[in-house]
Amino acid sequence: MQQLGGGLTISGEPRHNSGPKISESRWAVVPSGQSVQSSKSSLAALTLGAIGVVYGDIGTSVLYAVKEVFGSGHVAFMPQNVYGILSIFFWTLTTIVSLKYVVLVLRADNNGEGGLIAMLALASQAVKDKPRLRSVLLCIGIFGTSLFYGDGVITPAISVLSAVEGLEVVSPHFGKAVIPLTLVVLFCLFAVQKRGTGGIGRYFGPVTLVWFFCLAALGIPHIIGHPEILGALSPHHALLFIWHNPGTSFIVLGAVVLCVTGAEALYADLGHFGKKPIRLAWFSVAMPALTINYFGQGALLLAEPEAVKNPFYMMAPDWALIPLVIMATMATVIASQALITGAFSVTKQVIQLGYLPRLNIQHTSVRDTGQIYIPFVNWMLFVAIVLAVVMFRSSSNLAAAYGIAVTLDMLITTVLTFFVIRYGWKYPLALCVAATGFFFVVDLAFFSSNLLKLFQGGWFPLLIGGIVFTLMMTWKRGRELLNEKLRDDSLDLRDFLTAVFVSPPTRVDGTAVFLTAETGSVPNALLHNLKHNKVLHEQNLFVTVRSHEVPWIGLDRRLQVEPLGGDCWQVVVHYGFKNDPDLPSALALMRGRGCELEAMTTSYFLSRDVVIPTIGSGMAPWREKLFAQMHHNASGAAGFLNLPGNAVVELGSKIEI
């Protein structure tokens, strides 16, 4: 069990196997009003939404993927090589996206939710009887989550920059405007985040659908002109290229992987759209459009080898270049928006799982609780993206930095999937090895190839991921040390109340809610209140808030109440990592249990601890100082738990670790 701070803890609880979303009467549920898979939502609407949100990123990879493979200088420009590379592109899309993610990984849903955190929760629960293995998997999963932020920096930078670079095809004189215009677009994108995406979000699907239509429309005329290019659909072209150029094939995998950027979004957005719409959107729209466009670029290269400098834009007629640049910029903004929103969502989940301190989380919609805005994450991402654009200055240079974080995340997903299907679903070992071993080899090949780009820019997303991982593990370990210290110094709550009621202090009207990190322990706020005010409220609730490794926890399982006598109760409030904590609403469920809370007469007492780093057996001195600073800068529990500001009393204390 890990303490989150301010009375928040996380503990493992029983979870259900993957399957359809279940009712309010069980642990993991979809709250009323939050499910997009309700009968009111049509399959067509969900599929359209999936096209915009799920495939926005992978849909913009056509801007730079082919250009980087042939522009790298490693592939000799010959017709048979064009066939070979296109065949590798097609079968990479088929293997990684269609087979791995769409067919296999989408099955591993955590009560309808997807993403690396949901997979991590499933894997850690599957091996809960193997504590050492569970610790290793948790560490691996959290590192994979950290890499998401590195991806979150590179993706908007390379996507928007590659779109704006189309101006150089219109006229070389526009070259000097590419960097400034890219920064302006990115600033506008991040500046509007605080307003929420509800207003513009409804256009994501239609705009991206038009984008995919444009991709197909660009490719079809060139394929008609050189229909023989369709022969590259046969895998023998890929195999021949690899057989005759083994070293080159290994190197170019680092650029080929650009065609599957955003594949993780398939799994991450499972809870928003469901399996069927995501699969339908891929096979009916995204994959056909991408394939047609890639093969159109290949046909263009067969006819005009000089188009290798930017084959995507050179497919278009001159009159369509400016509209295409505008359309591409819109598509990349949508792709970046989906990733930024994902960063907010992942951060919120990581906070509730206890790996980051509380941050200021703002809800941008009164109807959709999933629409959130985290100012700190927003502007830190923006600063890092600006740094990336200014440092690398072109999409080709950024392509060198891209790939390591993505492929390592894919590799981690494959590893976690093995433990889910082997120990969670109890499938035979041979089947599990066969199901994940092939994808492990493929992912490892792509990751190994991308390691060659480590010193060309690949270090950048790894550095970002490493910094975030260090912060996460420092916070987790620091909370454990703080929790141990609080436990060692705490008094038993029942014994303390028994002693107090022997000669009770003056009882005053109203209800006092004391937040405590551990059940059964006397909160410091109560001790301070008795010492300084010498009164005890008429009703006293000792509340511990726990987050669990399930996405949703229903209202009927929200509270665990234990009477302590003397109008005192021990209350445990349970949340899933995607629930929005709202303590007043949760405590309102106590009506009819002998405790009636009135909002006007209820006070919330919180302990605000000041951490003092000391030399000892805890963490390294620099990590203790880092933890103390993170603890100091964490936003208050009052805002995180949605407590009314005029009813909160914070009492501080100093704790040495």
Side-chain angles (χ1 to χ4, degrees):
M1 184 180 298
Q2 301 152 359
Q3 183 184 344
L4 291 181
L8 304 180
T9 60
I10 168 180
S11 63
E13 292 290 342
R15 274 171 294 282
H16 301 283
N17 293 328
S18 63
K21 299 195 177 186
I22 55 181
S23 67
E24 284 276 1
S25 62
R26 300 172 69 182
W27 266 113
V29 301
V30 178
S32 175
Q34 251 179 276
S35 173
V36 294
Q37 300 187 69
S38 65
S39 57
K40 295 181 181 179
S41 299
S42 67
L43 179 61
L46 288 171
T47 303
L48 182 61
I51 290 171
V53 176
V54 178
Y55 298 111
D57 188 4
I58 199 171
T60 58
S61 60
V62 294
L63 291 166
Y64 43 80
V66 174
K67 179 179 71 172
E68 296 309 319
V69 171
F70 287 102
S72 63
H74 297 294
V75 181
F77 197 86
M78 296 182 292
Q80 61 265 37
N81 287 350
V82 174
Y83 281 85
I85 291 297
L86 284 181
S87 186
I88 292 175
F89 266 76
F90 175 76
W91 288 102
T92 297
L93 287 170
T94 301
T95 301
I96 293 181
V97 183
S98 299
L99 297 180
K100 177 185 172 180
Y101 281 97
V102 175
V103 174
L104 176 63
V105 175
L106 280 185
R107 297 187 62 211
D109 65 292
N110 190 342
N111 297 287
E113 292 296 326
L116 195 55
I117 290 181
M119 178 72 82
L120 174 60
L122 286 173
S124 65
Q125 178 63 18
V127 297
K128 62 182 179 181
D129 56 338
K130 300 175 175 61
R132 288 189 178 180
L133 178 59
R134 184 175 186 271
S135 297
V136 171
L137 291 182
L138 282 170
C139 190
I140 292 174
I142 292 300
F143 181 64
T145 303
S146 303
L147 290 174
F148 174 82
Y149 294 93
D151 183 21
V153 170
I154 297 295
T155 296
I158 191 174
S159 298
V160 177
L161 189 54
S162 61
V164 179
E165 282 174 346
L167 292 174
E168 294 179 313
V169 178
V170 177
S171 171
H173 299 294
F174 288 138
K176 293 181 179 179
V178 169
I179 298 296
L181 185 56
T182 298
L183 296 179
V184 169
V185 171
L186 288 168
F187 175 77
C188 293
L189 173 63
F190 281 89
V192 301
Q193 294 303 311
K194 62 183 178 181
R195 301 183 181 275
T197 59
I200 61 173
R202 64 174 65 96
Y203 300 111
F204 284 4
V207 171
T208 309
L209 182 61
V210 172
W211 170 250
F212 279 120
F213 175 80
C214 291
L215 297 186
L218 286 172
I220 288 173
H222 295 279
I223 294 175
I224 292 175
H226 292 272
E228 66 274 12
I229 197 66
L230 294 176
L233 291 170
S234 171
H236 86 275
H237 286 288
L239 296 174
L240 284 175
F241 181 86
I242 295 171
W243 177 261
H244 292 299
N245 309 278
T248 301
S249 299
F250 179 72
I251 293 172
V252 299
L253 286 181
V256 171
V257 76
L258 295 171
C259 77
V260 292
T261 59
E264 283 281 338
L266 275 168
Y267 185 42
D269 290 310
L270 173 61
H272 295 287
F273 300 101
K275 299 173 188 176
K276 191 172 182 179
I278 289 176
R279 287 169 172 160
L280 184 60
W282 172 250
F283 287 115
S284 65
V285 176
M287 187 176 183
L290 291 171
T291 301
I292 291 171
N293 191 270
Y294 281 128
F295 278 66
Q297 292 187 49
L300 173 67
L301 292 177
L302 289 178
E304 304 175 29
E306 65 275 10
V308 70
K309 61 182 180 180
N310 202 324
F312 174 79
Y313 279 111
M314 297 192 76
M315 279 197 299
D318 292 341
W319 61 266
L321 279 175
I322 293 295
L324 187 59
V325 170
I326 296 173
M327 192 69 208
T329 303
M330 292 173 62
T332 54
V333 165
I334 290 174
S336 302
Q337 175 63 65
L339 199 142
I340 295 167
T341 303
F344 295 157
S345 178
V346 167
T347 302
K348 176 175 175 285
Q349 294 174 35
V350 170
I351 289 172
Q352 292 193 217
L353 286 177
Y355 285 91
L356 280 178
R358 293 182 301 268
L359 296 173
N360 176 24
I361 300 177
Q362 301 174 11
H363 289 269
T364 58
S365 172
V366 296
R367 290 180 297 137
D368 185 358
T369 58
Q371 287 191 26
I372 59 175
Y373 168 65
I374 306 179
F376 178 81
V377 174
N378 186 70
W379 293 112
M380 285 299 99
L381 273 179
F382 175 71
V383 169
I385 289 171
V386 169
L387 186 62
V389 171
V390 172
M391 283 176 54
F392 293 97
R393 304 196 67 80
S394 74
S395 61
S396 295
N397 293 336
L398 275 169
Y402 204 47
I404 290 184
V406 174
T407 53
L408 189 51
D409 257 351
M410 290 179 175
L411 193 62
I412 290 172
T413 298
T414 301
V415 171
L416 295 179
T417 301
F418 169 79
F419 289 98
V420 171
I421 65 177
R422 173 68 181 123
Y423 297 102
W425 299 353
K426 307 297 183 184
Y427 282 5
L429 178 61
L431 179 61
C432 296
V433 171
T436 59
F438 171 71
F439 297 119
F440 180 84
V441 172
V442 172
D443 291 338
L444 186 62
F446 277 105
F447 173 64
S448 301
S449 175
N450 276 276
L451 280 178
L452 299 176
K453 302 189 294 184
L454 180 63
F455 298 106
Q456 300 173 354
W459 58 269
F460 186 70
L462 286 182
L463 176 64
I464 294 173
I467 291 172
V468 175
F469 180 72
T470 300
L471 292 175
M472 287 184 178
M473 300 311 292
T474 297
W475 180 256
K476 175 180 179 291
R477 179 57 182 155
R479 292 307 306 180
E480 289 175 350
L481 293 173
L482 188 59
N483 210 17
E484 291 171 5
K485 181 67 174 177
L486 290 171
R487 252 195 321 266
D488 293 342
D489 297 340
S490 66
L491 302 172
D492 182 77
L493 181 58
R494 284 186 177 275
D495 293 343
F496 180 80
L497 291 177
T498 299
V500 166
F501 290 139
V502 170
S503 179
T506 303
R507 304 293 288 264
V508 296
D509 292 340
T511 302
V513 177
F514 296 94
L515 264 72
T516 173
E518 293 286 339
T519 58
S521 299
V522 179
N524 287 334
L526 174 61
L527 296 175
H528 286 296
N529 190 45
L530 287 172
K531 177 181 178 181
H532 297 291
N533 298 326
K534 298 178 175 58
V535 297
L536 194 65
H537 282 71
E538 180 184 8
Q539 295 184 134
N540 296 275
L541 275 62
F542 302 96
V543 177
T544 299
V545 179
R546 288 179 179 166
S547 288
H548 301 268
E549 295 173 2
V550 292
W552 310 105
I553 289 179
L555 296 179
D556 62 326
R557 292 298 187 101
R558 181 76 73 225
L559 296 183
Q560 213 175 316
V561 182
E562 180 183 358
L564 300 175
D567 288 325
C568 298
W569 292 266
Q570 175 77 65
V571 182
V572 181
V573 185
H574 300 281
Y575 290 107
F577 60 76
K578 297 203 74 174
N579 284 125
D580 287 298
D582 189 330
L583 190 57
S585 296
L587 295 180
L589 299 173
M590 290 192 64
R591 293 185 182 277
R593 302 193 188 192
C595 180
E596 303 292 328
L597 275 72
E598 298 295 335
M600 298 301 295
T601 58
T602 299
S603 299
Y604 298 87
F605 290 84
L606 283 66
S607 297
R608 186 73 172 183
D609 303 321
V610 177
V611 176
I612 308 296
T614 59
I615 298 176
S617 59
M619 295 185 288
W622 68 269
R623 290 187 69 195
E624 289 194 357
K625 291 178 181 178
L626 175 61
F627 171 72
Q629 192 62 39
M630 292 172 71
H631 190 276
H632 174 73
N633 292 330
S635 65
F640 186 77
L641 296 173
N642 200 32
L643 304 181
N646 59 355
V648 174
V649 180
E650 284 194 326
L651 300 170
S653 61
K654 293 184 178 181
I655 301 177
E656 295 183 352
I657 61 170

